[in-house]
Amino acid sequence: MASVATARKRKAITRDSPESEEVALSDSGSDLEDGLLHEIFSHDGDEDDYESELEEDFDEEGEGTQSTGTDLDEVIVDEPSGKKDDGTHLVENGTGHMLGKPSGRDTENGTEGVEDEADQEDAPNYTVTQDARGNPRYIYNSIDPVYDSDDSDARATANTIGNIPLSFYDSYPHIGYDINGRKISRPAKGEALDALLDSIDVPKGWTGLTDPATGKPLELSQEELEVLGKIQMNEIPEVGYDPYPPTVEYFTSKTEIMPLSAAPEPKRRYVPSKHEAKRVMKIVRAIREGRIMPYKPPAEEKEEEQGLKTYDIWANEVPRPDHPMNVPAPKLPPPGYDESYHPPPEYLPDQSEKKAWEEADDEDRDKEYLPTNHDSLRKVPGYDRFLKEKFERCLDLYLAPRVRRNKLNIDPESLLPKLPSPEELRPFPTTCAIVFRGHEGRVRSLAIDPSGVWLASGGDDGTVRIWELLTGRQVWNTKVGEEEAINVVRWRPGKDACILSVASGENLYLMAPTITDPETEAASRDLIDAGWGYAANGISNGVAKKEPAAQWTRPGTRLEDEGVLVKVNLRSTIKVISWHRRGEYFATVSPQGQTSAVAIHTLSKHLTQLPFRKLKGLAQTAEFHPSKPIFFVATQRMIRSYDLSKQELLKIIQPGARWISSFDLHPGGDNLIVGSYDKRLLWHDLDLSVRPYKTLRYHEKAIRAVRFHQGGLPLFADASDDGTLQIFHGKVVGDLMENATIVPLKVLRGHQVRRELGVLDLDWHPREPWCVSAGADGTCRLWT
């Protein structure tokens, strides 16, 4: 056997071994329970590949020896792991190394094992073999890292393909090559992996992920598992980290001499005290009146010698003629010779004296001047220190200036933005053309029909009157409220029918006035009567329904003959009626109704719905969006917009008013005007903010109604209790970078104020720049 063993060439094949697991080779099936997934697959699945590759290598080398079964001299050598507790050791045999269990002889005689270990230490760390061409080949033993080694605990990369993606090997049975050029087989996947997972326990560190470098399952080390455990327990993963370090005081108890900033206190921090100002003014008045005398330091009195009195004989001297008895006061001495422009030579300084005087400081000089000789007076130059003294004087003024605050004379009109002239913004209503008289008491509401021909009005007398707009002639009237006043009248949108809705007390009436042609009147009646087929009688399919929100009934024979076809009872006083643009739906607002404050009615089905189970605040008015399925509801202080299709709240508009009286939407749908009882008109840009874009205060009393022109003209108006209407120009452009232009145009006066009430309602003509107003004086006026 020795000759056969030496004749065969042996090859050492290295295989990756896990760093933290033991290697166990046995014939039993317990290896599946103890090993990891990729270890099991590499031992079982790749063994046939290795045998076929070995046979090919032997054929290429031309060796005549044959290997039988498992009696191969080629032995798989696993890389040494960090643990060798199972007694495995390397046995040097010829040119290869075998991995196996210690024999019984080695266990019985331990000295032989010690000698083998000594021989292994002295033996070289490589083995010399021959390659396919017969050249020597050196195979070095793998290094066993010890605790003092520089090798890290990072797992060695078994796959040597580098940064090449594993997707390049999708069409091959292998995923790369190891350090010896051997193919690394692809790990099993799919059904085999699922069957194996069901048959074995999940090992420690298993994550279920795949390592992109090797294509094998990714495992976590013990340290990584400990870090993850600490993170799950909300503990600090880093070892030695102190979460409570000693406090470092930013401000110490040591008092600093200088402050952090030596800048003086700014004057803007000074807040004058009103109490101190009063006390100071009290003292100032006392000083002015002489009750308080300012303090004067006492004059210093010279001590007179006792018995000796002195007199100033020249205190009151007057000029007297020369007389021997007259002793004049002594005079100042005349200027000396050195002050002359032509002094004697003995007064002139020499060169040394002149040099000493010039080099001396100004304080050390005896005289402020130096005597100079001039031939004549005209040769005397100017004062040589004139410019210097002038500069020093200016410097004093510059360093110690006296601030003089000039009052700015600015015209307040120049601070206002330049607006176009009202004459350039015509047409807009300026004069009262027609006065409609006939109501007894206040006219509470009015409306112009979509055709622009008829004007409907209702007042405290309980009558509804329809006027011809251009002539002022009354063409139709009816009395629907016996004791209740008409609170609101509104026309249904659209020219296909002529339907008027009227609210009186708790009842709402739908009528088709007999003022149009028979075809339009018949179409109006059919549109109103179409809902009786859908009228609910309280029982449907044998199941009792809840009590309806409103009761749709016929008003009676008298009213039906006059054109009043439907009566709707809501059990609370109706103040607002608002129609949808299609004319199929309309909303009513009853501020006193709690859950039924806002109701939406369907004309074709005679159906009433209460969209709000509970409304925040007291409802004031409601409007439909001109083009979108959005519904606006105004309470005392807020306006909320709701999406009817999604049934959700979109936006809460905050006008900032104390009590909202009315609001109206621009035909474009992006702007909103709000009138309030606290005399303010507010313009909202819905795309800009929920706060007002402009706040206009032009009225002295509460604003009752606001309205946009719906016919394409950039006009809007408001009506107030002071008896006036204010007409505005409001231009809205499609450019989001440009704001709306708001210009006040005209104040319309004509209504009289009765019992603190002025103009109660207004409306615009659908096409022309005309508006109508209803006043507390019992009249309606057309402004053109």
Side-chain angles (χ1 to χ4, degrees), residues 40-261:
I40 296 175
F41 285 124
S42 62
H43 289 172
D44 296 339
D46 300 341
E47 190 171 352
D48 297 336
D49 295 339
Y50 284 129
E51 292 178 1
S52 61
E53 291 177 3
L54 292 175
E55 292 177 1
E56 293 176 0
D57 293 338
F58 279 113
D59 294 339
E60 291 176 0
E61 295 175 1
E63 297 292 339
T65 59
Q66 297 181 359
S67 59
T68 60
T70 58
D71 190 12
L72 293 175
D73 295 337
E74 178 180 344
V75 181
I76 299 174
V77 179
D78 291 345
E79 292 181 0
S81 62
K83 298 180 181 179
K84 290 184 181 293
D85 298 335
D86 55 354
T88 60
H89 62 278
L90 296 175
V91 180
E92 185 177 355
N93 185 8
T95 59
H97 296 278
M98 297 184 64
L99 179 64
K101 293 287 183 176
S103 61
R105 180 181 177 182
D106 295 336
T107 56
E108 291 176 1
N109 189 2
T111 59
E112 294 181 3
V114 175
E115 293 178 358
D116 293 341
E117 292 178 0
D119 293 340
Q120 290 179 4
E121 293 179 358
D122 298 337
N125 63 341
Y126 60 88
T127 304
V128 181
T129 61
Q130 292 183 356
D131 57 5
R133 297 181 180 181
N135 299 325
R137 179 183 179 186
Y138 295 90
I139 300 178
Y140 289 87
N141 299 334
S142 58
I143 300 174
D144 184 11
V146 293
Y147 290 105
D148 56 352
S149 174
D150 294 336
D151 190 10
S152 62
D153 294 336
R155 186 178 303 160
T157 303
N159 201 341
T160 60
I161 62 173
N163 294 330
I164 298 177
L166 290 179
S167 60
F168 288 6
Y169 292 89
D170 291 344
S171 59
Y172 297 97
H174 59 279
I175 61 172
Y177 302 89
D178 59 4
I179 193 64
N180 293 322
R182 301 298 181 187
K183 296 180 181 179
I184 300 177
S185 299
R186 184 183 306 279
K189 296 181 181 178
E191 299 179 357
L193 181 61
D194 295 338
L196 188 60
L197 287 175
D198 296 338
S199 62
I200 63 174
D201 296 335
V202 177
K204 186 176 183 181
W206 183 76
T207 60
L209 304 178
T210 303
D211 190 354
T214 62
K216 298 179 181 179
L218 179 63
E219 300 175 1
L220 299 180
S221 62
Q222 184 65 25
E223 293 183 1
E224 294 172 344
L225 291 175
E226 292 178 359
V227 170
L228 290 177
K230 290 182 179 180
I231 292 176
Q232 291 179 352
M233 296 300 292
N234 292 330
E235 297 179 358
I236 299 172
E238 184 178 356
V239 179
Y241 177 77
D242 186 8
Y244 304 104
T247 304
V248 178
E249 297 293 342
Y250 184 76
F251 293 100
T252 61
S253 59
K254 181 180 178 181
T255 305
E256 299 291 341
I257 299 176
M258 295 299 294
L260 296 178
S261 175

Side-chain angles (χ1 to χ4, degrees), residues 690-705:
V690 297
R691 298 285 183 178
Y693 164 65
K694 289 289 184 181
T695 301
L696 307 175
R697 296 179 177 87
Y698 289 100
H699 290 284
E700 298 178 356
K701 293 185 178 181
I703 296 177
R704 291 282 176 176

